[in-house]
Amino acid sequence: MDVNQFREFAKSAVDFVADYLENIRDRPVLPSVEPGYLHKLVPDEVPEQPEQWQEVMKDMERVILPGVTHWQSPNFHAYYPTATSFPSIVGEMIASGLGIIGFSWICSPACTELEVVLMDWLGKFLDLPASFLNCSEGPGGGVIQGSASEAILVAILAAREQTVRRVKLEHPEMSESEIRGKLVSYSSDQSNSCVEKAGLLAAVPIRLIKADDNGSLRGEELEKTVLTDIENGLIPIICIATFGTTGTCAYDHMDELGPICKKYNIWLHIDAAYAGAALCCPEYRPLMSGIDWADSFNFNLHKWMMVNFDCCAMWLKNADTLVEAFSVDRIYLNHQFQGQSKAPDYRHWQIPLGRRFRALKVWIVLRTIGAENIRNNIRKHIHLAELFENYVKMDDRFEIVSARSMGLVCFRLKGDCSLTRQLLEKITERKQIYMIQAKCNEKLMMRFVVAGLDPNEKDIEFAWNEIVGQTCELLQPRKLAVDDSVIDKVANNFATILTTASHQEKLK
């Protein structure tokens, strides 16, 4: 493919994406395919000869789109948003064209330095503690990870290595393997599944502590569990707190957890994957009381900041802990500028060596959309969730399971859980809207999240009408269908009974 063909192909692709997003409401949000559908539509082997790009674009409609779940549809209400925007798509395209692998400053100074600047922009935008910022006097700093899953794993690994070094100094009689075998971590039983997975990958057991009735982890429960583990000879290393749980968007009590973590030398990490973006709105900052206690913090720009996946911002009070945990130097990685504060080698701050130029799309989004419009977009999502909540409250067949939080409403049909399950199955089969189930206080519920590209009040009304329509079908009186021959048989038997002498006596 020469450059002129590339221009044509790329312009066609942009038109394809623009048309897709512009008309996304017209598509059922869930695909109507069975497992293995795509295998029947493509060859078994790589084509020997090149095909024309026009044929590839035709197959986007024939092969790919039939199997796509439309995450950007405003009828997608299942998971927290995985956002995008036109500026972000352009930024992703340019970054791909530049083809930078920015594992060290010298690999592309702009890649590293733009990220340093942007992490300070974002930290100030969310009003994070100054100790988290690259521009602060201390060792704090920010980095863009791929996802919250990576950020949490990085935090656990850094806390693990920091604890091992500390305990070795305090107890030189203990071997390193003995120390590692005693490590333990903590989180809420409402935390995301990636927390438990990070514990598996880091070879550190995670204690999932029961949350309170509001879905929040409390300090008293954490301390009780920590003391039991210490009495049993275990060594606590980290607590993963959640700001906006997956199930109900609840908030752990940082102001309670923080002093306990400090008391027992436990790293406190805050996973704010979804709700963290709302901190850019001053009215939601009080929810993060106690953030000053945290050692690290993450939120996903790809959930509510109009940046496409993958893009997770992570800050640390002491970024040196990452360098100490992950630093592996080879002669081919060295350069004359390493070690300077404004030129970090981000390979020491993450799991992989290579890294994409994610900062570029963030920079383009923040510049072309602006802080005010990002705040307004978040407020609009929350307003639409309030609108949906009001619809639910006006229908006495439903109940709100937990208080609406941000853009999430958790609700159910009153009565047995089987009714809610059947309703969700009917809605899912029709593919007009997409929600998922969860449990809260042993009650099965449906999660309705405001998501998609540019949702509006009509989309919320459409979703509610779909829910009400399927509810009416589910709850309508069920007709008993009886075969005519059965009716005749019953009638004949009854007539025979009436003619018997004994029955005549009873009638008298």
Side-chain angles (χ1 to χ4, degrees), residues 83-314:
T84 194
S85 64
F86 295 126
S88 182
I89 294 169
V90 171
E92 190 77 74
M93 182 173 67
I94 295 173
S96 296
L98 295 176
I100 291 167
I101 308 296
F103 52 81
S104 65
W105 180 87
I106 198 67
C107 287
S108 276
C111 179
T112 295
E113 295 198 15
L114 185 61
E115 187 162 333
V116 172
V117 170
L118 283 177
M119 292 306 294
D120 282 348
W121 279 18
L122 289 167
K124 294 173 184 176
F125 189 30
L126 269 58
D127 196 27
L128 297 182
S131 55
F132 278 140
L133 305 183
N134 298 297
C135 58
S136 65
E137 293 183 2
V143 61
I144 299 178
Q145 306 284 0
S147 65
S149 303
E150 291 176 41
I152 291 168
L153 177 57
V154 164
I156 292 178
L157 293 173
R160 184 189 72 183
E161 297 311 303
Q162 177 179 266
T163 303
V164 169
R165 287 192 297 272
R166 174 177 58 79
V167 175
K168 282 174 73 174
L169 290 173
E170 295 172 353
H171 299 279
E173 75 282 3
M174 293 179 67
S175 67
E176 184 169 318
S177 60
E178 188 179 359
I179 295 169
R180 292 183 184 277
K182 294 178 178 294
L183 303 180
V184 64
S185 302
Y186 307 93
S187 193
S188 159
D189 64 354
Q190 298 300 305
S191 61
N192 191 271
S193 62
C194 69
V195 174
E196 198 170 355
K197 183 174 182 179
L200 292 173
L201 294 173
V204 178
I206 301 280
R207 296 271 191 271
L208 296 179
I209 303 169
K210 186 171 178 56
D212 67 11
D213 291 342
N214 295 317
S216 304
L217 179 60
R218 306 304 297 263
E220 182 181 355
E221 292 300 316
L222 173 64
E223 186 165 32
K224 193 185 304 181
T225 308
V226 167
L227 286 173
T228 299
D229 284 341
I230 291 175
E231 288 172 8
N232 291 327
L234 299 179
I235 304 170
I237 66 167
I238 190 171
C239 174
I240 310 294
T242 308
F243 182 75
T245 59
T246 302
T248 61
C249 198
Y251 313 106
D252 292 344
H253 288 252
M254 313 304 170
D255 48 358
E256 295 179 8
L257 303 176
I260 293 165
C261 289
K262 183 76 172 177
K263 181 178 178 181
Y264 297 102
N265 271 320
I266 298 172
W267 182 305
L268 177 60
H269 177 81
I270 298 176
D271 172 28
Y274 167 64
L279 296 176
C280 71
C281 302
E283 63 267 33
Y284 297 113
R285 286 174 186 159
L287 290 171
M288 191 50 96
S289 174
I291 188 176
D292 289 329
W293 293 101
D295 295 284
S296 52
F297 173 91
N298 74 264
F299 90 100
N300 287 341
L301 284 93
H302 60 248
K303 280 201 165 50
W304 236 0
M305 278 273 179
M306 306 175 81
V307 175
N308 63 300
F309 187 84
D310 57 355
C311 194
C312 176
M314 180 185 188

Side-chain angles (χ1 to χ4, degrees), residues 70-76 81-84 377 381 449-455:
H70 303 290
W71 282 70
Q72 301 310 321
S73 170
N75 300 321
F76 183 100
T82 297
T84 194
N377 184 62
H381 278 225
V449 188
V450 177
L453 188 68
D454 195 26

